Amino acid sequence: MKLTKHAHACVTLEKDGTRLVIDPGTFTPDAAAAVARAHAVLITHEHFDHFDSALVAAALEAQPDLHVYGTAAVAATLGSRGGRVHAVAAGDTVTVGSFTATVHGHRHALIHADLPCPDNVGYLLDDGALYHPGDAYFAPGAPVRTLLLPTSGPWTKLGEAADYVRAVEPERVIQIHELMLSDLGRHSTATILGEKGLTGTPIDRLAPGTTVQL
């Protein structure tokens, strides 16, 4: 599996000619180009930095074979589109080409009691090869080789992120959702959470556009 890191929480996954895009939001400048090459789009939740609804709706019109998977709120925003938009929840399994993803978690991490807390799901790809948690520190209860770890945003906290990595016990961590941090902040966060920090697990900082083999 190849992973391409885009800005913020968006990644492209490619294997055996199948391409998936997860969380193409408005903070990702090349989201439209990524989705244009995708066979399916997976959305963790409805927030705009993970789900650019206008972009995804336009892609569904332009790409007749494109399928989209997301929470009930995401599916309701897009409509059925001839059965190509699928509402998913914890316990579901998604199969697209050579990829299989299981769905985990229920809710977005709490920002504040006064703010709505939408549904949020994570996607565990190919028997634990990769886990994208969306905006939640939910451990999927299954082995994870590579964890995509959110590190900035109004709901995140370094101590909770460290405990999350310890709970999941991945072999490798890739920092995502880091756009609200300066370069110094991204480096500091990786140092605190990384192999010589609180978790003992290597954490990669990938520049947008970087592709790695998993």
Side-chain angles (χ1 to χ4, degrees):
M1 181 193 305
K2 290 195 299 185
L3 176 145
T4 299
K5 171 77 169 68
H6 303 283
H8 202 51
C10 182
V11 295
T12 293
L13 305 174
E14 184 177 357
K15 187 184 71 170
D16 300 329
T18 301
R19 290 190 187 90
L20 304 182
V21 173
I22 305 179
D23 281 3
T26 58
F27 288 177
T28 303
D30 61 343
V35 171
R37 302 176 67 224
H39 297 92
V41 174
L42 279 56
I43 308 292
T44 62
H45 65 288
E46 65 206 71
H47 284 164
F48 63 89
D49 56 325
H50 294 254
F51 172 45
D52 185 332
S53 58
L55 184 157
V56 177
L60 283 163
E61 289 295 321
Q63 299 162 237
D65 294 328
L66 181 67
H67 284 251
V68 177
Y69 300 82
T71 61
V74 168
T77 298
L78 295 171
S80 173
R81 307 282 176 154
R84 293 186 293 128
V85 175
H86 312 268
V88 296
D92 289 343
T93 298
V94 173
T95 301
V96 180
S98 58
F99 284 101
T100 299
T102 53
V103 183
H104 301 265
H106 302 278
R107 304 293 280 179
H108 191 287
L110 182 67
I111 299 173
H112 190 277
D114 290 349
L115 296 176
C117 194
D119 290 342
N120 178 98
V121 296
Y123 296 100
L124 184 65
L125 278 297
D126 287 1
D127 296 320
L130 177 83
Y131 185 61
H132 192 311
D135 276 5
Y137 290 143
F138 181 88
V144 175
R145 292 193 291 281
T146 298
L147 172 66
L148 303 183
L149 180 67
T151 58
S152 78
W155 60 275
T156 58
K157 185 177 179 181
L158 279 180
E160 292 177 357
D163 288 342
Y164 180 56
V165 175
R166 291 177 179 181
V168 175
E169 296 184 311
E171 297 173 11
R172 177 184 190 180
V173 174
I174 295 174
Q175 190 175 176
I176 64 165
H177 211 278
E178 76 281 31
L179 197 61
M180 294 181 182
L181 296 174
S182 66
D183 186 64
L184 176 62
R186 289 191 290 272
H187 176 75
S188 174
T189 296
T191 300
I192 292 169
L193 296 177
E195 189 169 17
K196 296 181 180 179
L198 291 171
T199 70
T201 304
I203 181 167
D204 293 329
R205 296 172 55 209
L206 302 181
T210 302
T211 298
V212 295
Q213 192 80 33
L214 302 180

